[in-house]
Amino acid sequence: MLNLNSNDLKKDFALVARGVEKSFGPLRVLKGVDLRIEYGKVACILGPSGSGKSTFLRCMNHLERIEKGLLQVAGEMVGYREHKGTLYELRPSEIARKRADVGMVFQNFNLFPHMTVLQNIIEAPVNVRKIPRTQAVDEAMNLLAKVGLTAKASAYPNTLSGGQQQRVAIARALAMKPKLMLFDEPTSALDPELVGEVLNVMRALAADGMTMIVVTHELGFAREVGDLVVFMDGGVIVEQGSPSDVFNNTQTARTKAFLSKVL
């Protein structure tokens, strides 16, 4: 059970996190994270390995269970319901249904190897959203055109480059018509020459107004596309602001030290 302050429930934000804590055994990974992200914005989360940024992202769709605080996505609490001022965890079927509103793209693609590209994309819309197959196929082909892979509809993942697989993974997430897209270091597993094709797709999504939260080491992307840049370290948000503020007018010594090593 988690304590709930109803004043924290903000339906005009895509994400509200207040005092979010998460531990793995004795290791405290998130130590009280506060963050708000507006609809239609791109938030880029930066930080060293082990800072808690990927764990925080996984909490946003209840792949990890928070232990304290409040986490709300697209106007609803993540993984919990409220009763008389206390939060109780939802049943797995309810969690799965709400998770469908949040698209997530992982580092390592996670495509089904035994399915073609088209089958990968229509699997969840048909079986979870119950969209008619013909409609799902039409929408999937439109998404493949969007990510520049129409010709690969009948291909299997193992015949694609890493960049192509990641673009298919993005199309698969978009097929569920999510309210929020989460990206967990989507280019970290790619060869350097393939990074650009994935970032270009993400730039196009941002231009279309998709709400996105991106854990990334691509500082150029964060500077160019991000509306909000968040720097995490030691399980807390050390600094946040516009790209101009964070990169050009850094406020904390820890952020300055990190940027000096990676810029």
Side-chain angles (χ1 to χ4, degrees):
M1 294 187 297
L2 304 173
N3 292 329
L4 171 69
N5 180 347
S6 60
N7 292 328
D8 289 329
L9 299 181
K10 303 292 185 181
K11 296 184 180 299
D12 50 342
F13 288 92
L15 175 82
V16 174
R18 184 176 295 274
V20 171
E21 297 188 14
K22 171 67 182 176
S23 297
F24 295 103
L27 179 63
R28 292 183 67 208
V29 178
L30 300 177
K31 303 174 183 177
V33 178
D34 297 330
L35 185 65
R36 291 183 180 182
I37 296 171
E38 298 176 6
Y39 286 104
K41 302 298 184 181
V42 177
C44 294
I45 303 179
L46 314 177
S49 298
S51 60
K53 54 192 189 296
S54 289
T55 297
F56 183 38
L57 200 74
R58 290 172 63 85
C59 289
M60 294 177 195
N61 64 358
H62 209 62
L63 289 175
E64 298 292 350
R65 180 189 296 114
I66 67 172
E67 293 156 352
K68 188 176 180 182
L70 174 82
L71 190 55
Q72 182 192 35
V73 169
E76 296 189 358
M77 291 174 286
V78 176
Y80 295 89
R81 62 179 175 83
E82 184 268 336
H83 180 68
K84 295 183 178 179
T86 301
L87 298 184
Y88 297 87
E89 190 169 17
L90 297 175
R91 295 190 299 270
S93 60
E94 294 175 298
I95 292 171
R97 186 171 62 252
K98 291 192 174 187
R99 189 177 284 148
D101 289 331
V102 182
M104 187 157 186
V105 178
F106 299 88
Q107 298 178 34
N108 295 314
F109 326 136
N110 288 358
L111 300 177
F112 298 117
H114 62 289
M115 293 183 178
T116 66
V117 164
L118 182 62
Q119 289 168 337
N120 263 279
I121 295 173
I122 69 172
E123 174 72 12
V126 169
N127 292 300
V128 178
R129 294 287 196 199
K130 306 302 181 184
I131 294 174
R133 184 181 178 85
T134 54
Q135 177 185 339
V137 168
D138 287 344
E139 293 177 353
M141 293 305 297
N142 288 334
L143 288 170
L144 283 175
K146 192 181 189 80
V147 299
L149 290 173
T150 304
K152 299 295 185 179
S154 299
Y156 286 87
N158 65 357
T159 69
L160 305 178
S161 70
Q164 290 171 332
Q165 290 187 61
Q166 194 62 294
R167 284 186 280 157
V168 172
I170 293 172
R172 182 178 64 177
L174 291 172
M176 292 295 283
K177 300 181 174 66
K179 299 173 182 176
L180 172 66
M181 282 285 287
L182 309 178
F183 294 83
D184 188 7
E185 299 189 23
T187 61
S188 65
L190 301 180
D191 292 334
E193 64 268 24
L194 301 178
V195 169
E197 63 190 56
V198 173
L199 294 181
N200 284 339
V201 170
M202 295 171 65
R203 288 185 181 95
L205 292 179
D208 288 342
M210 172 63 70
T211 308
M212 299 161 56
I213 303 175
V214 186
V215 170
T216 184
H217 293 295
E218 300 290 341
L219 301 191
F221 176 85
R223 188 193 295 269
E224 173 193 351
V225 181
D227 298 293
L228 178 70
V229 174
V230 177
F231 175 68
M232 289 186 66
D233 190 34
V236 298
I237 292 176
V238 176
E239 187 164 348
Q240 62 177 292
S242 69
S244 177
D245 287 340
V246 173
F247 290 115
N248 301 327
N249 189 27
T250 313
Q251 297 298 304
T252 68
R254 181 64 189 96
T255 309
K256 288 179 181 177
F258 175 80
L259 293 177
S260 69
K261 294 177 181 178
V262 295
L263 283 177

